[in-house]
Amino acid sequence: MINLKNVQTEVDTGFLYNILAENEPDPNVAKVFTEMSAIEHGHALAFLAKHNLDPSHLPLPSGRAKTLKLIGKIFGYDYVLGVVLDTEKSISSSIVNARKQSKTANSISDTAHVTILKNILNNHTEISGSNLARFEKRHRSVGGNALRAAVLGGNDGLVSNFSLVMGIAGATSGQSEVLLTGLAGLLAGALSMALGEWISVKSSQELYENQMQLELEELETNPEGEEKELALIYMTKGIPEAQARTMASEIIANKDQAHDMLIKEELGINPEDLKGSAMEAAITSFILFAVGAIIPVIPFFFLTGISAVLFSALLSALGLFFIGAAITLFTGKTIWYSGARQVFFGLAAAAITYGIGTLIGVSLE
């Protein structure tokens, strides 16, 4: 039986490229996305033809692809672009590995799609003015990182507190003990996540600010040297020497513009990154963790004993399955596989802590 999974991937990727094209304000980039969509559609048809299948066997876009379209409408299409880039990287990696195993020569087409998408994100020399700002913003947000953080933050809260609650439920038979422990675990975990995120963002900002200050001092004391460095950077990107030196000279003439460009090109720092709020990141982490952590505690507000344990396990299993299903937006795995895997590991962890709690409870009696 022919595996149509690869065809579905091509259909979904083509569908998402078309969505990106329809919502891309830059006509040149939109044209690229449209042509990429047509290429993916052609790949899918070629696969069917290779296996003597009629084009009518071409599947429709999957539920995953349609969900990503909805996410794009709500959160912005940069998230969709991020998922497409991840998909292309995965496909490219598989092709390269297959060539290594079969000892066949690499082809430029193996990584062409990844290269095209990276060029769209990184080729600032062809973009100016407002478009540059938009692409800088896109570069920072691409990859669906915010969605990943939301999913993984909720997963951390759910799994850790579910295991904790089951351990205490196994060791005691009291409703109040489990409630107290569950809420304490929620607060402790959420506060720990929030503090960790705050420190991470704040320390990164302080490090960047220090590096930017050093770069400003170098620009003021040795502008000629900085101009030469900037020209060399452009030359290593493939820009002809004369053009690279002209670009560097024009940029250095404006100190503010030169400073921004130097910290981007030399240090890889975008000044916009410093505008992120450490407190906002901390609060977001707190909320995401708490949302997951409260799920296994809810039944113990109303029930006691084994009824509360079973209901907590049911709610947590549903939450774990939902998280597993959400992860498929980034991995491309089937919802049932990813959801069932998440439920299995979550319930296994909770069962172990419940068993240990029961043993401890018996030994203390």
Side-chain angles (χ1 to χ4, degrees), residues 238-249:
I239 297 175
E241 180 179 354
Q243 183 182 353
R245 295 193 184 280
T246 300
M247 290 171 60
S249 177

Side-chain angles (χ1 to χ4, degrees), residues 163 166-171 347-362:
S163 299
M166 289 297 104
I168 299 301
L347 290 180
I352 291 171
T353 56
Y354 184 83
I356 293 173
T358 301
L359 291 174
I360 294 175
V362 171

